[in-house]
Amino acid sequence: MKKQIVFFTGAGMSAESGLATFRDMGGLWEQYEITDVATPEAWSRDQQLVLDFYNQRRKQLLECEPNNGHRLIASLETDYDVKIVTQNVDDLHERAGSTDVLHLHGELMKVRSSKDESLVKQLDGWELKQGDLCEKGSQLRPHIVWFGEAVPEMDNAIPIVQSADIFVVIGTSLNVYPAAGLVDLVKPGAKIFVIDPNSPTVNKSVTNISEIASKGMEELLKYL
Ligand code: APR
């Protein structure tokens, strides 16, 4: 039986690929007001401002490549049952070859109906425009979980986290709930590693690897 290793990743995982994190110096939430671009109220108030924000992020994502951290995680699938629970909306884990990725906060390259959230589709290119409608005639919106919205994938994430023999947290400040609460659900006896240059506080016994994602993954391999 292959050991189950679960990676719980955040924006720091993709920093070396050129994508800004949210709360670090120069991060997205220093450049933009959350209430202008990442809430349902913002969408009702100024759709174009919200569309522009995600269109820019998509354009940037299309110019990025997975980094060695992403690739090393994918390479572990040979010897481990690897599952990824990510807060990231980018597709860099998948582009690095990872086959089991759960996105808690949505996916940047997908859009969905404003009327029926089950109507989700891949976006062709980077630009979503006003007037792009779903099959029910409603404006398409980014397939992103905005602040104040439910996180439907939590129900699928919890059993994955609870079944981990090894749990690896990479590049998240653990500021945003309910996602950050997943760390508390790791089963007793499972080994927990935290890869982050600014090790976030975790109320459990963990092995901190105070490194950037790519270097931290090289370190992690020495423990496995
Ligand atoms: N390698 C590893 N970790 C890094 C790197 C790196 N190269 N660069 C920065 N970090 C770490 C920071 O030290 C910080 O702990 O990544 C973390 C980034 O934290 P945040 O910017 O808060 O991102 P995240 O935790 O993913 O945010 C959670 O908040 O804005 C919402 O929905 C959004 O999913 C996001 C959620």
Side-chain angles (χ1 to χ4, degrees):
M1 269 285 285
K2 283 182 177 179
K3 268 199 177 161
Q4 176 119 348
I5 186 166
V6 175
F7 289 89
F8 178 47
T9 67
M13 182 79 234
S14 300
E16 294 154 71
S17 297
L19 296 178
T21 65
F22 294 95
R23 293 171 187 82
D24 289 309
M25 203 118 66
L28 283 173
W29 297 148
E30 271 189 10
Q31 302 166 43
Y32 298 89
E33 286 299 324
I34 286 177
T35 48
D36 287 344
V37 294
T39 64
E41 295 74 24
W43 180 245
S44 321
R45 195 173 44 244
D46 188 342
Q47 269 185 13
Q48 195 53 52
L49 187 63
V50 176
L51 288 171
D52 292 345
F53 174 68
Y54 288 100
N55 285 345
Q56 284 316 311
R57 291 183 64 194
R58 249 181 245 109
K59 207 172 175 188
Q60 199 198 4
L61 175 57
L62 292 173
E63 289 152 10
C64 286
E65 292 298 328
N67 60 57
N68 204 37
H70 293 109
R71 288 191 286 272
L72 286 172
I73 292 174
S75 72
L76 285 173
E77 292 196 12
T78 320
D79 303 316
Y80 292 86
D81 181 356
V82 180
K83 293 188 187 310
I84 299 171
V85 173
T86 187
Q87 298 169 83
N88 296 346
V89 296
D90 66 56
D91 59 353
L92 297 176
H93 280 302
E94 289 91 340
R95 281 160 56 187
S98 288
T99 59
D100 195 330
V101 185
L102 184 145
H103 290 268
L104 283 173
H105 295 159
E107 297 177 67
L108 198 49
M109 297 315 295
K110 293 183 179 172
V111 293
R112 76 167 188 250
S113 162
S114 296
K115 195 186 270 178
D116 176 348
E117 61 183 39
S118 72
L119 296 178
V120 177
K121 65 173 189 172
Q122 198 75 25
L123 184 69
D124 207 2
W126 57 271
E127 193 172 15
L128 179 63
K129 297 190 285 293
Q130 283 193 320
D132 291 347
L133 306 180
C134 77
E135 59 220 59
K136 293 187 176 176
S138 84
Q139 171 67 43
L140 287 167
R141 58 161 274 182
H143 181 51
I144 301 287
V145 175
W146 286 326
F147 288 90
E149 292 189 318
V151 185
E153 287 294 348
M154 276 299 286
D155 297 343
N156 297 321
I158 290 170
I160 294 172
V161 170
Q162 290 173 325
S163 64
D165 301 312
I166 302 164
F167 189 74
V168 187
V169 179
I170 307 183
T172 173
S173 62
L174 297 175
N175 271 304
V176 173
Y177 284 78
L182 286 170
V183 182
D184 304 326
L185 302 179
V186 176
K187 70 183 178 196
K191 232 161 145 27
I192 305 179
F193 296 88
V194 177
I195 298 176
D196 193 310
N198 314 298
S199 309
T201 311
V202 177
N203 300 323
K204 281 204 175 224
S205 146
V206 307
T207 302
N208 274 310
I209 301 176
S210 301
E211 282 286 2
I212 58 175
S214 59
K215 292 231 169 0
M217 277 301 303
E218 287 166 15
E219 280 301 305
L220 178 75
L221 297 185
K222 297 174 190 159
Y223 286 94
L224 296 183

